[in-house]
Amino acid sequence: MRLNERHLIQLAAVLDTGSVSEAAALLGMTQSAVSRSLSMLEARIEQPLFVRGRRPLQATPLGEQLAIHGRAILAASRHATDAVRGYVTGARGVVRVGGVPFFMDAMISEMIASFHGDEPEVTVEQSYGNLPELTSALEAGLIDLGIVPIGSAHPGPAFDFFELLPGRNIVACRPGHPLMRRARLQAVDLTAYPWIAPLPGSPLMSDLQMILMSIGVSELSIRYSGGSLMSVINFLAGSNALAVLPFSVVFAQRKENRVVVLPYDIPQPNRSLGILRLAGAPRTPAADRLAHHIMHAFDDLRHIIQRHENAVVWGR
């Protein structure tokens, strides 16, 4: 025996409201249509649904059992409707974000947190990678958004890139570093202290090579490598080491005052941080919402970072 799910929903509505007329109004139906459905259901099961002569309507034991299933169907239908509405509006769903480690840890993760405050039903899955890994992940459909710095080596027309922040690198050190007390910094001063190497595959590695060329030395004294952003900051804060970092990353740590900008002007890359997406690929509303949230956050942040950058007396 197969029962019509709509009949079970209508039965539950009648028992929950106490009358056929109120149930009809709740379901957007006519009273006569609901009455016909209940009669059809009774005929189908060959058993009464209501105790005769009781007002308000009282279900028989079988009628109450069927109403329980009707309520479950109605609840599932409403959950499905909410899920569709949430997906279409971007208020629900899963967004997969991959990005370069230092920017993700220093800036993007905080923006994701603020996004979650606005959209608590959206789940964000974060992963790490540099440009080659992120382009492969986008092509394979493993991530929706890539947060990556891109310069002249654009991955090509298969990808859309939305700039968030122009590239600007600095030499970072602890606030009490001996070089911070120098009246005027010379290139040779940078070679007198240990350095932290950028992560393997990071664009900062090529930037470090540019610095070596600019100061006329073949190598620096690397004493730490392969660490996360937090470990690099800890190493800088507890030693006289130097490191090449994006200015915005050091800016994001300004409240802790554990690392500062060494005011020595170094060669700058032709590179910008931005959001990378696969061109023409299906886009989920939740991913679009997160992308717009990050872009809006950088719109506000870009001017503040620029003011801090202008406040540094470069080449002091």
Side-chain angles (χ1 to χ4, degrees):
M1 178 186 296
R2 178 176 175 80
L3 302 181
N4 189 319
E5 290 85 354
R6 291 193 298 273
H7 294 171
L8 299 179
I9 292 174
Q10 293 162 29
L11 171 62
V14 169
L15 293 179
D16 289 344
T17 59
S19 72
V20 174
S21 59
E22 291 186 32
L26 176 67
L27 298 172
M29 301 174 62
T30 64
Q31 183 174 341
S32 59
V34 174
S35 296
R36 282 196 304 271
S37 294
L38 296 179
S39 297
M40 292 171 64
L41 181 56
E42 284 187 325
R44 181 65 173 165
I45 64 176
E46 298 181 346
Q47 295 289 332
L49 294 171
F50 304 97
V51 177
R52 304 301 181 187
R54 292 289 183 89
R55 290 292 183 274
L57 293 174
Q58 180 180 337
T60 62
L62 178 58
E64 185 57 50
Q65 286 296 314
L66 294 179
I68 292 173
H69 295 294
R71 294 185 188 102
I73 296 170
L74 181 58
S77 175
R78 287 172 176 169
H79 287 320
T81 300
D82 291 342
V84 171
R85 184 182 299 113
Y87 177 87
V88 170
T89 61
R92 289 187 179 182
V94 177
V95 185
R96 301 157 302 169
V97 184
V100 289
F102 284 3
F103 282 112
M104 295 302 290
D105 291 348
M107 309 183 77
I108 304 300
S109 58
E110 186 175 347
M111 295 176 184
I112 293 174
S114 65
F115 173 77
H116 186 263
D118 296 333
E119 306 295 345
E121 299 299 319
V122 176
T123 299
V124 179
E125 298 176 354
Q126 179 184 309
S127 58
Y128 295 108
N130 291 312
L131 182 58
E133 295 83 13
L134 294 177
T135 53
S136 297
L138 285 167
E139 289 175 323
L142 300 178
I143 61 173
D144 304 298
L145 308 173
I147 310 296
V148 62
I150 289 182
S152 57
H154 191 283
F159 297 91
D160 294 327
F161 182 72
F162 306 91
E163 182 182 279
L164 297 172
L165 193 68
R168 172 69 170 174
N169 289 338
I170 53 87
V171 177
C173 63
R174 66 181 178 88
H177 197 285
L179 291 182
M180 294 297 292
R181 298 192 292 270
R182 291 288 182 92
R184 186 167 184 83
L185 294 171
Q186 302 294 327
V188 68
D189 295 331
L190 302 183
T191 65
Y193 294 91
W195 281 71
I196 298 174
L199 293 173
S202 167
L204 291 174
M205 185 62 78
S206 61
D207 297 341
L208 183 58
Q209 297 299 321
M210 290 174 56
I211 296 173
L212 290 177
M213 294 175 59
S214 71
I215 63 179
V217 299
S218 58
E219 61 180 1
L220 294 171
S221 175
I222 302 296
R223 290 293 177 263
Y224 187 72
S225 63
S228 65
L229 175 62
M230 185 56 64
S231 63
V232 168
I233 291 174
N234 287 339
F235 197 97
L236 285 173
S239 71
N240 283 332
L242 305 173
V244 178
L245 292 176
F247 182 90
S248 54
V249 169
V250 176
F251 167 83
Q253 304 297 316
R254 67 195 184 282
K255 293 180 181 178
E256 284 74 21
N257 195 34
R258 302 186 68 209
V259 292
V260 294
V261 175
L262 184 68
Y264 182 84
D265 205 4
I266 59 176
Q268 294 301 318
N270 180 23
R271 189 186 303 127
S272 296
L273 179 71
I275 298 177
L276 191 67
R277 307 186 76 170
L278 190 64
R283 297 184 176 181
T284 65
D288 284 341
R289 277 205 167 191
L290 178 57
H292 292 150
H293 178 87
I294 293 174
M295 287 188 284
H296 181 71
F298 271 99
D299 284 341
D300 296 335
L301 197 57
R302 187 184 300 112
H303 305 293
I304 302 174
I305 293 175
Q306 187 63 54
R307 286 202 301 269
H308 278 255
E309 183 179 330
N310 294 339
V312 177
V313 183
W314 300 101
R316 182 180 62 191

